[in-house]
Amino acid sequence: MDHQPKKYNYICILIFLSLTKLSLSFCMKKLLLSAFAALTMGAATAQLPANSVAPNFTATDLNGNSYTLYSLLDQGITVYLDVSATWCGPCWNYHNTHKLRDLYDQYGPTGTITPNKVMVFFAEGDGQTSLADLQGTGGNTQGNWVAGTTYPILHATGPQIANLYEINAYPTLYVICPNRIVNTFSQGLTVPQMYALAGSCPVATQPVDAGLIQYTGSPAACVGANAELRVMMQNMGTQSLASCTIEALSGGNVVASNTWNGNLGTYGTADVLVGTVPVTGNATYTFRVNAANDANANNNQTTGSYVASNVTLQGIEVRLELQLDGYAAESSWALYDGAGNTVAQAAYTGANNNQLITQTFTLNQNDCYNFRIIDSYGDGICCAYGNGFYRLVDVAAGTNIVNITGAAADFEQRDDVYKSGTGTGLITVEIDRSNVRLFPNPANDNFTLEYRLDESSNVAVTIVNALGQPIKSVENMERTAGTYALSVETSELPVGTYAVMIGTDKGLVTKMFTVVR
């Protein structure tokens, strides 16, 4: 997709979903932060990942009524959240479909069909928006957003909610189930389809029900190091959960196990370290939870994987050389150590357009590092809007361990993994993004993934959420040189934005996709 002309202060995107005969449009978030504020934001350029635990908030609407998200969810109410901006044309168009108003009027607190099943909020996400803009009389608005809107409008706390939910495009539409799990949904859904989302929300009905949401452990690791195997667990029972055992299995064999003890209330979550394992190569694990008298086995398992690298530096200093393109505000990066701690990070603004950024990092000896770079628009840093590139240089050896230029710099997200210490190596990506096709995109129940290998390699294909956390393993096997096509099932994935991570022994390539219903 092409960028809109630079005379606009926001970027509008139009995606035509030919398979479903729907159209989806949204505006990229206006970039009003100073360079300093943007740097303090780090790499938070992607929206809240699918299957995340929804952050709680308390907000007051234009009429002075106060609402607390978790209080509504605890009553069994499903919450629909529209985060928009008054200046956003696509937001105004969606607002005028009146779908959310009809959903609220039919199923809200005084619903004409079934009352008190849902709550709908409009959150104005731009902190520069005035009350006059909402009322259609200001200078930064598409019209009167208040007139005819029967559901609560959150103005003063709207920007905080936008930050909590990591909004990067307007409108962003979220459905939050009573179990506090949040996912996006498509503008193209009808009112009955939106209400069906509430009917599909998991509900606690049994006294004991321990479930696993997703893998939260190491997405990438160095050969010879240890990888943390972690999962997000949730109590789907009506009674407090006091104890359970979680196991990690590989090839049907238990490789790690941990007995968790605590006091987890209904819908409460816990991030559990199942164990650590030595890294010898790419790996995929099955996780299962066991609790005494567990009444529901359907949510007891999940899968997770990591991609391994055997690249080792000669020294402990790495220099980043990053040439930004003409849309620097779409670029961000973060450097993580072996424990997942953020060593350094940065995000940029329009003031950095076409700049060359250099920065040197001093690393701990013999630790595993992951450099992650993101282009929020998805078209990378080369070549239509500037000849951007980036390099990671082993300062001691004077050699590039990563050198991403030309077509290789057309990425949505890249992860480069290496170990500090002795030795040098050159990371090469065996699967070029131009050799990867994913269709249809957006997907419904499945899509086809095609990729080409230039030489034999172990290949791990994993579906990950927006934070790069693996949630489904597609394949993990040795492949010879050639072209491959995989049919990937997505019917079990909630509506939202995901990525396919294709990892070889030498690097990663990521392809974004969206699931719609």
Side-chain angles (χ1 to χ4, degrees):
M1 272 179 291
D2 292 335
H3 294 273
Q4 292 288 325
K6 295 180 183 177
K7 65 181 180 180
Y8 292 100
N9 64 353
Y10 57 86
I11 301 169
C12 289
I13 301 171
L14 211 36
I15 302 173
F16 293 100
L17 313 183
S18 59
L19 293 180
T20 57
K21 307 298 183 185
L22 303 175
S23 66
L24 168 66
S25 57
F26 57 93
C27 289
M28 296 301 294
K29 188 175 182 180
K30 288 201 295 186
L31 302 167
L32 302 173
L33 299 175
S34 67
F36 174 79
L39 287 172
T40 64
M41 287 173 61
T45 61
Q47 67 185 22
L48 204 64
N51 285 331
S52 293
V53 176
N56 193 20
F57 62 80
T58 297
T60 301
D61 68 12
L62 294 181
N63 297 319
N65 302 308
S66 181
Y67 306 90
T68 298
L69 174 64
Y70 281 9
S71 176
L72 293 167
L73 300 178
D74 288 344
Q75 298 172 52
I77 295 172
T78 300
V79 174
Y80 295 76
L81 177 64
D82 172 10
V83 185
S84 289
T86 59
W87 46 262
C88 170
C91 303
W92 178 245
N93 293 338
Y94 182 72
H95 180 77
N96 284 325
T97 66
H98 303 306
K99 292 179 180 179
L100 289 175
R101 186 186 69 182
D102 292 345
L103 178 70
Y104 179 83
D105 290 347
Q106 294 172 20
Y107 304 103
T110 58
T112 57
I113 297 178
T114 307
N116 215 33
K117 291 295 185 180
V118 309
M119 174 56 77
V120 179
F121 291 111
F122 174 94
E124 166 52 58
D126 188 346
Q128 303 298 314
T129 296
S130 67
L131 181 59
D133 291 328
L134 278 168
Q135 295 170 337
T137 60
N140 200 25
T141 184
Q142 293 285 332
N144 191 335
W145 298 77
V146 179
T149 301
T150 54
Y151 50 90
I153 294 177
L154 310 179
H155 178 219
T157 50
Q160 290 93 324
I161 293 172
N163 289 333
L164 277 175
Y165 284 76
E166 302 178 15
I167 301 301
N168 70 342
Y170 297 129
T172 296
L173 307 174
Y174 283 116
V175 56
I176 308 171
C177 288
N179 68 341
R180 303 178 185 179
I181 300 302
V182 58
N183 285 287
T184 58
F185 66 92
S186 167
Q187 298 172 40
L189 295 187
T190 64
V191 172
Q193 288 172 330
M194 286 192 290
Y195 183 62
L197 296 177
S200 65
C201 285
V203 178
T205 59
Q206 302 295 327
V208 181
D209 183 6
L212 298 181
I213 299 176
Q214 61 187 9
Y215 175 70
T216 57
S218 305
C222 293
V223 172
N226 290 326
E228 285 193 343
L229 304 183
R230 311 184 72 96
V231 289
M232 180 70 72
M233 176 185 68
Q234 184 171 44
N235 177 20
M236 288 298 299
T238 58
Q239 296 179 358
S240 294
L241 182 66
S243 179
C244 65
T245 299
I246 302 177
E247 299 172 325
L249 299 89
S250 177
N253 300 314
V254 176
V255 297
S257 178
N258 184 27
T259 298
W260 175 89
N261 294 290
N263 183 17
L264 203 61
T266 299
Y267 300 143
T269 60
D271 189 73
V272 180
L273 174 64
V274 183
T276 58
V277 293
V279 178
T280 58
N282 299 341
T284 298
Y285 298 91
T286 297
F287 298 87
R288 66 187 181 197
V289 59
N290 299 292
N293 302 314
D294 194 325
N296 179 18
N298 293 330
N299 57 7
N300 289 161
Q301 287 195 176
T302 191
T303 60
S305 352
Y306 56 76
V307 175
S309 169
N310 57 9
V311 174
T312 303
L313 312 184
Q314 186 176 64
I316 61 170
E317 285 191 325
V318 171
R319 182 173 68 251
L320 168 66
E321 300 174 359
L322 171 61
Q323 174 63 58
L324 295 164
D325 67 1
Y327 286 85
E330 299 166 3
S331 298
S332 62
W333 57 262
L335 179 64
Y336 305 98
D337 65 16
N341 301 311
T342 302
V343 176
Q345 60 183 2
Y348 301 101
T349 71
N352 304 112
N353 287 351
N354 299 307
Q355 285 187 0
L356 176 64
I357 306 295
T358 60
Q359 186 169 348
T360 299
F361 314 111
T362 300
L363 313 176
N364 295 323
Q365 290 185 345
N366 298 315
D367 198 357
C368 184
Y369 289 85
N370 180 21
F371 178 82
R372 174 174 295 165
I373 185 167
I374 295 173
D375 180 84
S376 64
Y377 193 87
D379 62 352
I381 55 178
C382 184
C383 298
Y385 303 99
N387 295 316
F389 62 83
Y390 77 91
R391 304 185 187 100
L392 294 177
V393 181
D394 182 344
V395 175
T399 57
N400 296 330
I401 60 170
V402 173
N403 187 14
I404 306 301
T405 62
D410 180 10
F411 55 80
E412 290 139 323
Q413 176 178 309
R414 273 189 53 93
D415 289 77
D416 298 296
V417 183
Y418 54 89
K419 183 179 180 181
S420 58
T422 60
T424 61
L426 177 64
I427 294 180
T428 60
V429 178
E430 297 177 35
I431 304 176
D432 191 282
R433 186 175 184 269
S434 62
N435 296 332
V436 178
R437 295 180 65 226
L438 188 157
F439 57 92
N441 186 12
N444 189 341
D445 292 331
N446 58 73
F447 63 79
T448 298
L449 175 70
E450 291 183 355
Y451 66 88
R452 187 178 79 237
L453 278 177
D454 293 330
E455 61 183 88
S456 298
S457 175
N458 181 269
V459 179
V461 179
T462 307
I463 293 178
V464 303
N465 62 25
L467 286 182
Q469 299 166 329
I471 59 175
K472 178 179 180 178
S473 175
V474 177
E475 75 168 14
N476 191 341
M477 62 188 300
E478 290 290 329
R479 291 286 200 184
T480 57
T483 300
Y484 298 90
L486 305 176
S487 180
V488 182
E489 182 74 20
T490 58
S491 59
E492 78 279 15
L493 298 180
V495 169
T497 301
Y498 301 87
V500 173
M501 185 172 66
I502 308 170
T504 71
D505 297 332
K506 297 180 181 178
L508 303 174
V509 172
T510 301
K511 188 74 174 176
M512 305 296 291
F513 71 95
T514 303
V515 174
V516 298
R517 298 284 188 264

